[in-house]
Amino acid sequence: MWQLYHFPLCPFSRKVRLALSEKGVAYELKRENPWDASDNFYALNPAGRTPVLHDSERNRTLVDSQAICEYLEETVDKTPLILGTALARAEIRRLVALFDESFFHDVTGPLMHEKMKKRIVLRAAPDSGVLRSAMRLAHEHLDYIDWLIDNHRWLAGAQMSLADFAAAAQISVADYLGGIDWTGHDTAHSWYRVIKSRPSFRSLLTDKMEGIPPASHYADVNA
Amino acid sequence: MWQLYHFPLCPFSRKVRLALSEKGVAYELKRENPWDASDNFYALNPAGRTPVLHDSERNRTLVDSQAICEYLEETVDKTPLILGTALARAEIRRLVALFDESFFHDVTGPLMHEKMKKRIVLRAAPDSGVLRSAMRLAHEHLDYIDWLIDNHRWLAGAQMSLADFAAAAQISVADYLGGIDWTGHDTAHSWYRVIKSRPSFRSLLTDKMEGIPPASHYADVNA
């Protein structure tokens, strides 16, 4: 069986968990903190980052969330997530990269540094200026989601795709850390509620990071 | 015809230029500086980043270097660059992400900030501590290339792939900016010389960034 090396607030592991669940692929979770990684983990991934998907019985190791999702897409027919024409698939990949890179750089990454890493590893107080900036940039990204959903049902078009799960994975971590304010983003909020109520999302909503309680509304699928 | 929006030292545009040339796809270059981007460019890519591949006649716009390379792979048969079994393709994508993300974060990005952006945009002196750190981390990445090439002919296996071009694109920018020292990396150096002498590399080696002369050996395919 596949084992997914992850930690609860890793947005890239969350993207892979959603893809695995949507595609009905069985897996078990293995906890790995990149800031305190084991030798065994470095042997699997010299870059020392989660997620890593590993199958010891068949000696298969997959590294990098997008490489993993492309592999799942190529090998599992159920629930296509990178679908449509080559041009439609390019649009899905553009949006996945936008959330994996820009949203993470602007919002999720700074929130994780200030509210998770500083508490668990660095034992320092969060910088309120950085937090304010991340929340301001979150509004810009939510504006873009509003605009996309005004134009079609899902982020990349008429069909649900990996773009929706990549975005929701980032937002779910930012939301856990109290960085998402839906005020003025009714359209994006409705879209997120739909994703959040999917069975694939359940295990994300019950996951906790020790010492860091989630925002009060975090696990409420109606909030 | 395709137009590629780029600037000469954008490593991600270089990866796409190499893929386009290897696949024999005709294109013309359009200069765009992300730090001074036009409204027209933001209309093509709200994220304001190069590369963007645009075809105005057929109204096609592709954004994000990896989305572009995947599109080329799906639509152009010549010179497969993401090739082999699903597992082999995952290994290629892992290495592409390693160079696009880690090498860029550790080496190319800091060098571009200190030696390009500070000179052209910020009018400030480079920070020698940051430059030393980037060059030290470059050695670690070259060690990894040595190890990969000790084990098989190309970075991802027996065949040349997008992993080789993603790595060479990053290294070529770092080398232009004087950040690559091949001492102790004969294996990686031989691999890079082979890539550097391919016809697809020629236009990269003659490209200049105004106000920033390349390192003296940069365009010498024997150096």
Side-chain angles (χ1 to χ4, degrees):
Chain A
M1 184 157 55
W2 287 112
Q3 296 185 313
L4 182 71
Y5 289 77
H6 87 123
F7 63 95
L9 292 184
C10 170
F12 305 103
S13 303
R14 285 179 169 229
K15 180 177 77 166
V16 171
R17 291 164 72 179
L18 292 169
L20 286 163
S21 297
E22 291 289 338
K23 288 184 162 291
V25 177
Y27 69 101
E28 57 186 37
L29 288 169
K30 291 269 281 184
R31 176 64 180 271
E32 193 71 48
N33 295 330
W35 54 90
D36 184 26
S38 61
D39 289 347
N40 171 45
F41 185 65
Y42 274 108
L44 292 176
N45 180 14
R49 303 207 303 196
T50 51
V52 171
L53 192 62
H54 179 62
D55 171 2
S56 54
E57 287 149 37
R58 295 176 60 188
N59 197 25
R60 295 180 290 183
T61 306
L62 303 173
V63 169
D64 177 68
S65 74
Q66 195 53 20
I68 295 170
C69 289
E70 297 279 354
Y71 177 90
L72 294 172
E73 193 66 16
E74 290 177 4
T75 56
V76 184
D77 289 337
K78 191 186 168 194
T79 323
L81 294 173
I82 307 174
L83 70 176
T85 64
L87 212 53
R89 292 158 61 88
E91 173 66 359
I92 293 167
R93 292 187 178 108
R94 171 183 81 85
L95 288 168
V96 169
L98 184 73
F99 288 98
D100 281 359
E101 295 169 24
S102 299
F103 192 99
F104 179 76
H105 175 270
D106 293 344
V107 183
T108 328
L111 285 168
M112 289 170 72
H113 186 79
E114 297 301 325
K115 293 197 149 189
M116 183 191 77
K117 201 167 176 191
K118 279 194 173 173
R119 189 169 316 182
I120 297 179
V121 188
L122 307 171
R123 309 273 171 191
D127 180 323
S128 59
V130 173
L131 293 176
R132 271 197 305 275
S133 159
M135 290 187 72
R136 186 179 53 72
L137 290 168
H139 275 296
E140 292 184 17
H141 284 282
L142 295 178
D143 278 342
Y144 190 58
I145 292 177
D146 285 333
W147 182 82
L148 289 169
I149 299 294
D150 271 342
N151 284 280
H152 27 57
R153 187 159 170 214
W154 300 94
L155 293 188
Q159 314 253 24
M160 185 186 74
S161 76
L162 191 61
D164 299 286
F165 293 108
Q170 294 290 335
I171 290 171
S172 73
V173 173
D175 192 36
Y176 184 108
L177 296 171
I180 298 293
D181 170 11
W182 294 106
T183 310
H185 304 289
D186 289 349
T187 310
H189 198 180
S190 306
W191 159 85
Y192 184 63
R193 275 205 205 93
V194 172
I195 300 270
K196 196 176 170 181
S197 26
R198 293 184 71 80
S200 62
F201 226 85
R202 257 178 232 149
S203 87
L204 273 56
L205 295 178
T206 54
D207 243 11
K208 296 266 196 323
M209 191 82 188
E210 53 281 4
I212 304 175
S216 57
H217 61 275
Y218 168 72
D220 179 355
V221 292
N222 300 311
Chain B
M1 185 158 56
W2 288 112
Q3 297 186 312
L4 182 71
Y5 290 77
H6 86 123
F7 64 96
L9 292 184
C10 170
F12 305 102
S13 303
R14 286 178 169 231
K15 179 176 78 166
V16 170
R17 290 164 73 179
L18 292 169
L20 287 163
S21 297
E22 291 288 339
K23 288 184 162 291
V25 177
Y27 69 101
E28 58 185 37
L29 287 169
K30 292 270 281 183
R31 175 65 180 272
E32 192 71 47
N33 295 330
W35 54 90
D36 182 28
S38 61
D39 289 348
N40 172 45
F41 185 66
Y42 275 108
L44 292 176
N45 180 13
R49 304 207 301 195
T50 51
V52 172
L53 192 62
H54 179 63
D55 172 2
S56 54
E57 287 149 36
R58 295 177 61 188
N59 196 26
R60 294 181 291 182
T61 306
L62 303 173
V63 169
D64 177 68
S65 74
Q66 194 53 21
I68 295 171
C69 289
E70 297 278 356
Y71 177 89
L72 295 172
E73 192 66 16
E74 290 178 3
T75 56
V76 184
D77 289 337
K78 191 185 168 194
T79 324
L81 294 173
I82 307 174
L83 70 175
T85 63
L87 212 54
R89 291 157 63 87
E91 172 66 359
I92 292 167
R93 292 188 178 108
R94 173 183 79 85
L95 288 168
V96 169
L98 184 74
F99 288 98
D100 280 0
E101 294 169 25
S102 299
F103 192 99
F104 178 77
H105 175 271
D106 292 344
V107 183
T108 328
L111 285 167
M112 290 171 71
H113 186 80
E114 297 302 324
K115 292 198 150 187
M116 184 191 78
K117 202 168 176 190
K118 279 195 174 172
R119 189 169 316 182
I120 297 179
V121 187
L122 306 171
R123 309 275 170 190
D127 180 323
S128 58
V130 173
L131 293 176
R132 271 197 305 276
S133 158
M135 291 186 71
R136 186 178 53 73
L137 291 169
H139 275 295
E140 292 184 16
H141 284 282
L142 295 178
D143 278 341
Y144 190 57
I145 293 177
D146 285 332
W147 182 82
L148 289 170
I149 299 294
D150 271 342
N151 284 279
H152 26 56
R153 185 155 172 219
W154 301 93
L155 293 188
Q159 313 252 25
M160 184 185 74
S161 77
L162 190 61
D164 299 286
F165 293 108
Q170 294 289 335
I171 290 171
S172 74
V173 173
D175 192 37
Y176 184 108
L177 295 172
I180 298 292
D181 170 10
W182 293 107
T183 310
H185 304 289
D186 290 349
T187 310
H189 198 180
S190 307
W191 159 85
Y192 184 64
R193 275 206 205 91
V194 172
I195 299 270
K196 197 176 169 182
S197 17
R198 293 184 71 82
S200 62
F201 226 85
R202 258 178 231 149
S203 88
L204 272 57
L205 295 178
T206 54
D207 243 12
K208 296 267 197 322
M209 192 81 189
E210 54 282 3
I212 304 174
S216 57
H217 62 274
Y218 168 72
D220 180 355
V221 292
N222 300 311

